[in-house]
Amino acid sequence: MNKLVSCHVLSMYLYLSKVFKMCIDGLSCPLQTAIISYDYLTSFKTIEYGTEEYWSLRSKVHRRSAERLRDLCCANRGTFIKVGQHLGALDYLLPEEYTSTLKVLHSRAPQSSMEEIKQVIREDLGKELSELFVSFEESPQGAASLAQVHKAVLHDGRTVAVKVQHPKVQTQSSKDIVVMEVLVRAVHWLFPDFAFMWLVEEAKKNMPLELDFLNEGRNAERVARMLAHFSFLKVPEIHWDLSTKRILTMDFAQGGQVNDRDYMRRHGINVNEISENLGKMYSEMIFVHGFVHCDPHPGNVLVRKCPQSKNTEIVLLDHGLYQVLQPDFRLDYCRLWQSLIRGDMSGVERYSRRLGAGDLYPLFACVLTARSWTAVNSGISSTPVTHTEDVEIRTNAALYLPQISELLNRVPRQMLLLLKTNDLLRGIETTLQTRAASSSFINMSRCCIRAVARWAWTLNPELNQIQVGWNFRSLGLPLVLYR
């Protein structure tokens, strides 16, 4: 069975390489194709399936192949890196060797030259760097798939971050998406069980939004207003006079990445406080407002001590990708999480089906929570995460790949970015060693109940706190609802 899968992987890679050579002028990967083909074709010939040696070798082959895929993404830049980053977040779908390797694309994106950066600024703002800034650091603070960020100082003395889009990404992105669509359709034709059109559909929808930096600026201001009651959250202020569709200028924010435990220890930052506050932010975004920042990888979430108040702060960056949740979807999602936290299996089935999972609702619950079916049945808030369970999840993900693929094509498109966001947040919690903390479930429960209560009040404004408060008692939480 596994040898058949290896042959499928090999055949798929050979076919994709041909399509790439047909669709992209100048993309040359015959050497990569030959190496990977030879690797998969010969590595398992003398190894007995199921032995310790077999599993060890398979992991090494996956790792080598993932590294070549990563290098291919880096060589083609732009949309390829963006999709590679998305794939790196699919812990519930791809082998660990692929996800861990592709995750580095967040920090390994190619840089544009300083001359290219100057040209974009000249074209969009109509002035030279010296006319706009007292100083402009040539070495970028960070480079991503679509843009890179430079530190600069304005003539009034304020320090800003200038995000400049890579010059060719606008024109190339539409071509890249066409190529991806051809590839995905070809794979689906060859292997009907592997249906990944959702990936292309998401890229088609989201890429134009992410390439419009004015849209990103508006998202930043909206989420800052929406979560203004969280004093720990900081969203850099936008400088609209120095911003265009390809340039976004904002206040410069310093801090360490949210997964940098050493930085937190050196600066006296409590990891539990950070994890709890991050959970509060995202629970509020998802369950209460339905306006969700969908790219919380560590480079976009900074932590720091405020120099004046000495309070711990979270700085949220990169607001290009947001998911707007429709009210009915959001309420069903709230009720599903309430059921998952309580271990209410009838609720898990009911609301999973309402969200499109159908008879795959057990798999959907496991994918959503990254927990085993045993833990889901017991209630995820009362069952600690173990290493054994994580291994079980990884193993089952490989076994149920066709079913997971079918599930992703069934559920509403709104769900796809939420799954990606969940995985990125879980990765941060795992690094901080705060995963499945009781405080995170309490915060989620509060936001779920507030959302359901607000919905109840809109239907019947005469309802009072007592009439809707039963939800809190059913969770065993001594909380009070406020209208």
Side-chain angles (χ1 to χ4, degrees):
M1 174 65 181
N2 211 70
K3 290 182 180 179
L4 181 61
V5 171
S6 297
C7 289
H8 279 178
V9 172
L10 171 59
S11 301
M12 182 168 59
Y13 189 86
L14 284 167
Y15 185 85
L16 296 187
S17 299
K18 291 177 183 177
V19 177
F20 264 105
K21 281 187 269 187
M22 288 189 296
C23 295
I24 304 179
D25 183 34
L27 176 62
S28 176
C29 55
L31 180 59
Q32 294 276 13
T33 302
I35 293 173
I36 292 181
S37 301
Y38 186 80
D39 215 357
Y40 274 107
L41 187 62
T42 61
S43 293
F44 305 100
K45 273 188 173 181
T46 60
I47 307 299
E48 183 180 352
Y49 172 74
T51 62
E52 185 176 337
E53 184 181 5
Y54 174 88
W55 298 119
S56 175
L57 179 60
R58 191 183 73 161
S59 177
K60 291 176 182 176
V61 173
H62 280 332
R63 181 75 65 186
R64 292 195 293 263
S65 301
E67 289 171 353
R68 289 163 187 145
L69 177 59
R70 176 202 62 203
D71 294 341
L72 189 63
C73 288
C74 287
N76 290 281
R77 309 174 65 165
T79 310
F80 283 90
I81 289 182
K82 199 72 183 176
V83 172
Q85 290 171 345
H86 193 161
L87 292 173
L90 300 179
D91 294 287
Y92 53 84
L93 186 62
L94 298 177
E96 185 275 336
E97 294 86 353
Y98 278 87
T99 56
S100 61
T101 301
L102 294 175
K103 277 182 171 67
V104 305
L105 290 173
H106 286 294
S107 57
R108 292 267 309 262
Q111 297 180 12
S112 293
S113 68
M114 192 58 200
E115 192 51 49
E116 288 174 318
I117 295 299
K118 288 179 180 179
Q119 184 62 28
V120 172
I121 291 175
R122 195 179 296 121
E123 289 173 359
D124 281 32
L125 296 177
K127 294 182 178 180
E128 298 295 330
L129 279 181
S130 58
E131 298 178 79
L132 300 168
F133 308 102
V134 173
S135 64
F136 190 97
E137 292 186 1
E138 294 196 4
S139 179
Q141 295 286 309
S145 56
L146 306 181
Q148 61 194 52
V149 177
H150 292 262
K151 185 178 180 180
V153 178
L154 300 175
H155 285 283
D156 62 9
R158 287 178 295 173
T159 303
V160 294
V162 185
K163 181 176 180 179
V164 184
Q165 196 171 109
H166 298 308
K168 297 177 182 178
V169 74
Q170 284 270 7
T171 54
Q172 190 62 38
S173 63
S174 57
K175 299 175 185 177
D176 291 344
I177 292 172
V178 170
V179 171
M180 287 176 192
E181 184 167 8
V182 171
L183 294 175
V184 171
R185 290 190 184 279
V187 172
H188 182 52
W189 177 72
L190 287 170
F191 311 105
D193 284 339
F194 295 84
F196 288 90
M197 274 310 297
W198 58 270
L199 186 61
V200 176
E201 289 168 4
E202 286 301 293
K204 278 183 176 179
K205 182 185 75 173
N206 295 325
M207 193 57 64
L209 296 174
E210 293 192 75
L211 289 172
D212 182 356
F213 288 177
L214 295 178
N215 177 67
E216 178 177 344
R218 290 189 291 269
N219 287 342
E221 291 192 338
R222 178 175 172 180
V223 81
R225 291 192 303 269
M226 190 175 83
L227 302 181
H229 56 288
F230 289 140
S231 60
F232 61 81
L233 175 62
K234 303 300 173 186
V235 178
E237 183 180 344
I238 305 300
H239 294 254
W240 290 108
D241 58 324
L242 294 173
S243 297
T244 68
K245 282 195 170 187
R246 295 194 298 169
I247 300 170
L248 188 66
T249 304
M250 68 206 87
D251 287 348
F252 183 79
Q254 289 183 310
Q257 291 193 4
V258 70
N259 63 344
D260 190 343
R261 289 176 62 89
D262 289 338
Y263 175 90
M264 293 190 211
R265 186 176 60 254
R266 290 197 309 271
H267 292 82
I269 296 173
N270 187 315
V271 294
N272 292 308
E273 181 185 357
I274 291 297
S275 182
E276 182 176 353
N277 286 342
L278 196 60
K280 285 180 181 178
M281 282 166 42
Y282 270 88
S283 291
E284 187 102 0
M285 280 192 261
I286 293 169
F287 300 116
V288 179
H289 299 284
F291 185 66
V292 189
H293 180 286
C294 287
D295 203 10
H297 75 78
N300 289 339
V301 185
L302 305 182
V303 296
R304 67 188 187 189
K305 281 276 191 180
C306 176
Q308 289 75 35
S309 67
K310 304 302 180 185
N311 292 330
T312 300
E313 296 177 340
I314 295 177
V315 182
L316 192 60
L317 304 174
D318 197 345
H319 300 271
L321 186 58
Y322 272 74
Q323 180 67 69
V324 178
L325 307 181
Q326 297 304 312
D328 288 346
F329 173 94
R330 179 170 55 85
L331 288 167
D332 284 339
Y333 193 63
C334 286
R335 293 183 177 111
L336 174 57
W337 271 104
Q338 287 178 302
S339 300
L340 289 165
I341 291 170
R342 293 197 299 261
D344 172 11
M345 298 314 296
S346 63
V348 170
E349 178 178 357
R350 181 186 311 116
Y351 295 111
S352 294
R353 287 184 180 277
R354 289 183 59 148
L355 288 167
D359 56 354
L360 292 176
Y361 74 88
L363 181 62
F364 180 53
C366 293
V367 166
L368 186 60
T369 60
R371 302 297 303 272
S372 68
W373 184 237
T374 301
V376 170
N377 272 275
S378 302
I380 59 173
S381 63
S382 58
T383 310
V385 180
T386 64
H387 175 69
T388 303
E389 184 185 8
D390 277 340
V391 172
E392 179 186 346
I393 290 290
R394 288 280 185 188
T395 303
N396 287 340
L399 293 175
Y400 291 103
L401 182 58
Q403 290 85 354
I404 294 174
S405 177
E406 181 184 350
L407 176 66
L408 295 176
N409 280 283
R410 277 190 190 184
V411 297
R413 302 298 89 184
Q414 301 168 77
M415 183 62 69
L416 299 177
L417 282 179
L418 283 184
L419 290 173
K420 172 193 172 187
T421 304
N422 285 347
D423 277 344
L424 290 170
L425 291 172
R426 259 194 300 269
I428 292 171
E429 289 181 338
T430 299
T431 302
L432 298 182
Q433 299 175 6
T434 58
R435 188 174 165 196
S438 59
S439 61
S440 66
F441 291 121
I442 291 173
N443 288 322
M444 287 177 69
S445 299
R446 285 173 173 163
C447 287
C448 286
I449 296 168
R450 279 174 56 202
V452 173
R454 285 185 179 183
W455 171 79
W457 275 318
T458 60
L459 292 182
N460 187 353
E462 300 306 315
L463 286 175
N464 57 38
Q465 291 182 27
I466 302 301
Q467 288 171 297
V468 295
W470 68 270
N471 275 302
F472 288 105
R473 293 195 295 277
S474 69
L475 286 169
L477 300 174
L479 307 174
V480 177
L481 275 175
Y482 291 95
R483 191 167 177 176

